[in-house]
Amino acid sequence: MNDYTKLIEDALYSYLPSKNVYEKNLIEAMEYSLKAGGKRVRPTLALEFCRLCGEVPQKALPFGCAVEMIHTYSLIHDDLPCMDNDDYRRGKPSNHIVYGEDTALLAGDALQSLAFRIMTAPETVSLAGEQACVKAVNCLSYYCGAQGMAGGQAIDLAYEDKNAPIEVLREMDSKKTSSLIKSACALGCIAAGADNEKIAAAEEYGEYIGIAFQIVDDILDVTSSNEELGKPVGSDKENSKSTYVSLLGIEECKNLVESYTHKAINALNAFEGDTSELADFAKQLANRKK
């Protein structure tokens, strides 16, 4: 799956609009966050699930890039003063620190609309098929909207300065973190024309690694450093946010990560092909240090 990285990077940047325009500053802000690095977890999953379902990974590339653009826009908005108010992201100044709050807001908006343009472009329709493109847009719009990522962020904001119970935290993270990961897994299957059973299994895998991913984030916010993580640590405690660590403690959190990772790997039993790459990927995410 590491072989996908250059493919994804090249495709992502090729989708950016020309900077030879009056709104050059906006395009540069979009490019700044898109090129800020990151693990490219979501597009990688889209490509690998497409391969697992019997198609060439490139068939899912536009869908994977679309998810990454949605993810990037969410990070730009997350860092804004009205949200998490973070000055750093991936070891660099946040978008609004460099370009101002107004341009950062627009950069996020523009990346969101660009994602759906990519998914419905003539080249994408020719590559994946019209039916797959319609199904993919429906999937991603659901998982990034009020019942998905945006809804999870709303729950997060509603429980700032409050002690959220574990069931609220689980619902929030299922929407805020897992939703886009689930969508990426599903989009890979959709690009390959897989049946609903495989799509559901892919979403189950995405749900579990997404929750595990968030719990690891909570652990690292307590145990890591600004330099290692590339963003401020301890922000959850400063913002009085309930986290898995604050509610359960680090050891129980580590046990949960192991349990969810195991459940994610079990979900791969619905597929006939070689799932070892995805199983290893789940383990790598569970053991990450940044």
Side-chain angles (χ1 to χ4, degrees):
M1 288 168 67
N2 291 331
D3 294 340
Y4 296 148
T5 303
K6 187 177 188 307
L7 186 67
I8 291 165
E9 297 286 335
D10 290 347
L12 273 173
Y13 307 147
S14 74
Y15 286 126
L16 285 168
S18 167
K19 287 186 280 189
N20 188 28
V21 290
Y22 289 117
E23 63 274 20
K24 177 184 176 182
N25 194 52
L26 172 62
I27 311 303
E28 287 180 343
M30 295 164 67
E31 182 181 58
Y32 176 80
S33 288
L34 202 60
K35 288 189 172 182
K39 293 171 275 293
R40 307 304 189 202
V41 168
R42 293 151 192 82
T44 297
L45 287 169
L47 267 62
E48 182 61 10
F49 269 102
C50 186
R51 184 205 65 77
L52 185 59
C53 291
E55 285 287 352
V56 292
Q58 288 85 343
K59 201 166 182 179
L61 190 56
F63 296 166
C65 287
V67 181
E68 189 68 6
M69 288 188 179
I70 295 287
H71 175 56
T72 302
Y73 116 69
S74 75
L75 298 181
I76 294 173
H77 284 190
D78 259 4
D79 291 338
L80 288 170
C82 64
M83 301 286 272
D84 288 349
N85 194 24
D86 281 329
D87 291 345
Y88 288 91
R89 171 69 63 176
R90 293 168 176 165
K92 299 179 180 179
S94 298
N95 197 291
H96 69 276
I97 297 296
V98 179
Y99 293 96
E101 290 179 44
D102 47 5
T103 299
L105 183 69
L106 291 173
D109 292 343
L111 282 166
Q112 182 185 42
S113 61
L114 181 56
F116 291 105
R117 184 172 186 270
I118 291 166
M119 298 177 83
T120 55
E123 298 83 1
T124 307
V125 174
S126 177
L127 179 67
E130 188 174 308
Q131 186 176 356
C133 288
V134 170
K135 195 170 184 177
V137 167
N138 183 273
C139 173
L140 183 55
S141 59
Y142 175 83
Y143 279 125
C144 75
Q147 293 167 288
M149 181 191 71
Q153 183 66 62
I155 296 171
D156 193 7
L157 291 171
Y159 276 87
E160 277 190 350
D161 302 319
K162 297 178 184 177
N163 293 319
I166 193 69
E167 58 269 18
V168 170
L169 200 61
R170 179 67 170 79
E171 179 73 7
M172 178 186 77
D173 291 335
S174 177
K175 289 180 164 70
K176 184 181 175 183
T177 304
S178 284
S179 282
L180 285 190
I181 295 176
K182 285 167 69 174
S183 72
C185 298
L187 289 173
C189 297
I190 290 169
D195 59 34
N196 288 335
E197 183 183 348
K198 286 186 172 60
I199 293 172
E203 289 179 328
E204 185 178 350
Y205 171 91
E207 170 73 14
Y208 286 129
I209 67 166
I211 296 297
F213 189 94
Q214 183 57 56
I215 297 173
V216 172
D217 253 12
D218 289 354
I219 294 171
L220 292 176
D221 192 66
V222 174
T223 62
S224 190
S225 66
N226 293 3
E227 293 73 25
E228 288 175 311
L229 210 53
K231 61 180 181 180
V233 298
S235 59
D236 289 336
K237 186 175 181 180
E238 284 180 19
N239 294 328
S240 302
K241 285 187 176 181
S242 291
T243 68
Y244 286 93
V245 172
S246 68
L247 293 175
L248 303 174
I250 288 178
E251 286 309 310
E252 181 58 27
C253 283
K254 289 179 178 179
N255 291 337
L256 274 179
V257 170
E258 185 177 349
S259 173
Y260 283 131
T261 302
H262 182 69
K263 288 178 179 179
I265 293 170
N266 280 345
L268 298 173
N269 291 333
F271 298 90
E272 295 85 21
D274 180 9
T275 60
S276 59
E277 290 273 354
L278 284 165
D280 288 344
F281 194 64
K283 294 173 186 175
Q284 288 168 17
L285 291 180
N287 294 311
R288 66 192 174 90
K289 302 301 178 185
K290 61 180 181 179

